[in-house]
Amino acid sequence: MLEFATALILLAMFMALLSAIFGKTVYDKILAVNIFGTVTVLFIAVFGFMKERPEFLDIAMVYALINFVATIAILKFFEYGDMGRGSSLPDDVDI
Amino acid sequence: MSVIFVNVVLLLFLVITALAINQQRNLFAAVMMSGIYSLICASLFVCLDAVDVAFTEAAVGAGIATILFLGTLAVTSYEEKRVVKVHFTSLFLVFICGGLLIYGLSDIPAFGEHSNPVQTYLADAYVNTSFEVIGVPNLVTSVLASFRGFDTLGETTVIFTAGISVLMLLGRGKPKGQSVVQEEIK
């Protein structure tokens, strides 16, 4: 049963990969990366149960958080053209 | 059996993604696909029971590296310049490096073998003697920070240097014109 679920998740990964490769617009690719992250979370969860180590679930949850942050950063990049540092305050400090 | 199947499929995905990144001329799409690449890598590490490495790969590869790439894209162009000429010297060097790496693989013991050093005496030695030798109650800390201290120091140095150089490359652009606060002072 869990093997079947893993196989289906791998299939979903492959379809997300195809969408990232052959997607026409940039938004298709962003969506594909996001879907791929979600499918990775599912994969780690199911794989943990398949190997009888369900404590992998914690890691899967942290993956979900990372995926969310990355998507927000990408969308912010689209909105502002950079990482959104455009503050109007004086900024004499250089790295 | 099923684990081997999963490993093979994931490695296949890695190859497909790498080839697709190589063919991609739009840099933004390439960045997106490198994020996918590191997610596949992380899944593969989970399959190999290296959950901590997988975690680092997901945080650094899919998270930070993607964001740094995007920040770099903000100051360069979106399209890669098309290079038609094939550099045979580089191709030759790449094949030599790859061949050396594969040759080096033959010396590595098989994954999960009973007779590997880590299974025979190393883990026992860490568990039994680490408190007497190092004096730190936490086993993981004593292994990471003392037995493998130079290794950890090298890793952190490399990551720190990489972070600093990326920040220096990106810089912070000079503010355009005068800022609001300076105008208010006038």
Side-chain angles (χ1 to χ4, degrees), chain B residues 97-116:
Chain B
C97 284
L100 280 177
L101 285 175
I102 293 173
Y103 172 72
L105 269 183
S106 60
D107 254 1
I108 293 180
F111 177 70
E113 195 84 358
H114 295 292
S115 53
N116 287 355

Side-chain angles (χ1 to χ4, degrees), chain B residues 3-65:
Chain B
V3 176
I4 294 177
F5 172 73
V6 169
N7 279 341
V8 169
V9 171
L10 284 178
L11 281 172
L12 206 65
F13 286 175
L14 268 190
V15 173
I16 294 173
T17 319
L19 288 178
I21 291 176
N22 200 20
Q23 288 300 312
Q24 190 63 252
R25 293 293 152 212
N26 185 345
L27 289 178
F28 185 86
V31 170
M32 292 294 99
M33 289 173 63
S34 75
I36 291 186
Y37 186 88
S38 43
L39 280 172
I40 303 174
C41 262
S43 312
L44 206 58
F45 289 143
V46 169
C47 294
L48 292 172
D49 262 352
V51 181
D52 52 337
V53 183
F55 190 70
T56 316
E57 175 67 38
V60 175
I64 304 290

Side-chain angles (χ1 to χ4, degrees), chain A residues 2-21:
Chain A
L2 286 173
E3 278 86 350
F4 186 60
T6 312
L8 282 187
I9 284 175
L10 285 176
L11 185 66
M13 269 188 179
F14 184 62
M15 283 156 74
L17 195 60
L18 285 186
S19 157
I21 295 174

Side-chain angles (χ1 to χ4, degrees), chain B residues 54 78 99 139 175:
Chain B
Y78 280 88
L139 177 61

